[in-house]
Amino acid sequence: MEIHTKQCNPANYGGARGQTDYIVVHYTANQGDTAQNNAAYFARETVQASAHYFVDEDQIWSSVPEQSIAWHCGAKTYWHPHCRNANSLGVELCMTGPGNVLRRGSIERGAQLVRALMQQYGIPPENVLRHYDVTGKHCPAPFVEQPALWTDFKAALCAQDPEQMEDEQMKIYNYVQDMPGWAQQAATKAIQKGVLAMDETGAVSVYACNLQPLVWLERTGALD
């Protein structure tokens, strides 16, 4: 995983961090932006805000050194009892297009980076948070407005080993209640619509790798 570096303007971040307990995911909310031009902007301007990393579908750019405090999730009041700038890393996903549509490649590359940081610092999946979870700010908006996208992102963080990923993809689900929570509604609609066949015992046969396409179909309204 290649990571480029453009040092952030020192006026935009703080001193040394003592520990790393959390990773906070954000989005830039800019149409047509890239990780590189975000890194360049924060290196050039004084905005008193920052993040450790910017990620798009093609590249990862380091902005604030990991050992320093980025000003990415500070607030007057907090929803989360423990996560703060001083004990977290901030990862910004770049986006494009109307309707807060995140690039799929940016999400996948962001998950790759977060997985590596989790391994490096021993951070469990439950300590990977949205900005929304920390302060209540509507960020990253796509993950707030579509919780299933966030569930998918969190699930990707646990699939680290390629062989493990293949095994999980080939897993067969026979009953809706045994499927991941994020897929159950879509599977139920698919059964009602006749897209999934149910036998006389009420069982279906669905590979795990086919669950996400069902969710995508549901989001387009094709299963309504």
Side-chain angles (χ1 to χ4, degrees):
M1 180 175 58
E2 184 178 11
I3 297 178
H4 306 275
T5 300
K6 183 73 172 180
Q7 185 75 37
C8 187
N9 184 334
N12 295 331
Y13 66 94
R17 288 187 311 108
Q19 56 189 31
T20 304
D21 296 327
Y22 299 93
I23 299 170
V24 182
V25 180
H26 308 257
Y27 85 135
T28 59
N30 294 318
Q31 295 187 20
D33 63 341
T34 67
Q36 183 176 8
N37 64 31
N38 275 286
Y41 172 82
F42 282 89
R44 181 178 68 250
E45 304 293 335
T46 299
V47 295
Q48 296 189 326
S50 54
H52 292 94
Y53 291 99
F54 293 94
V55 183
D56 64 28
E57 58 194 348
D58 298 314
Q59 295 182 327
I60 300 171
W61 280 77
S62 169
S63 181
V64 175
E66 289 181 11
Q67 66 270 22
S68 298
I69 299 173
W71 295 335
H72 64 98
C73 67
K76 292 181 179 179
T77 60
Y78 290 88
W79 284 11
H80 197 280
H82 305 298
C83 181
R84 302 291 185 267
N85 284 331
N87 62 0
S88 65
L89 294 172
V91 175
E92 288 270 5
L93 302 181
C94 303
M95 56 84 69
T96 188
N100 292 335
V101 178
L102 277 167
R103 299 168 180 148
R104 189 70 204 174
S106 298
I107 294 174
E108 293 170 354
R109 192 172 294 276
Q112 181 186 17
L113 171 63
V114 171
R115 280 199 306 269
L117 294 173
M118 290 168 63
Q119 293 173 350
Q120 180 179 346
Y121 291 100
I123 297 173
E126 60 267 24
N127 283 14
V128 178
L129 307 169
R130 299 169 295 185
H131 191 177
Y132 174 77
D133 301 316
V134 181
T135 69
K137 183 176 180 178
H138 203 70
C139 171
F143 287 164
V144 176
E145 296 165 2
Q146 300 179 65
L149 283 179
W150 179 240
T151 301
D152 292 350
F153 184 88
K154 293 293 290 285
L157 303 182
C158 300
Q160 302 174 22
D161 181 79
E163 292 184 3
Q164 178 186 351
M165 290 178 65
E166 184 175 355
D167 290 343
E168 285 296 318
Q169 290 174 343
M170 298 308 293
K171 180 178 180 178
I172 295 176
Y173 290 98
N174 295 119
Y175 298 97
V176 172
Q177 61 266 30
D178 296 330
M179 298 176 186
W182 53 266
Q184 291 182 8
Q185 179 174 295
T188 299
K189 288 184 177 181
I191 291 170
Q192 295 170 345
K193 196 76 171 177
V195 176
L196 291 181
M198 180 183 291
D199 65 21
E200 63 276 4
T201 68
V204 295
S205 181
V206 185
Y207 283 106
C209 61
N210 290 328
L211 293 180
Q212 193 169 64
L214 285 179
V215 172
W216 291 338
L217 280 174
E218 182 200 15
R219 292 173 188 161
T220 66
L223 300 180
D224 294 331

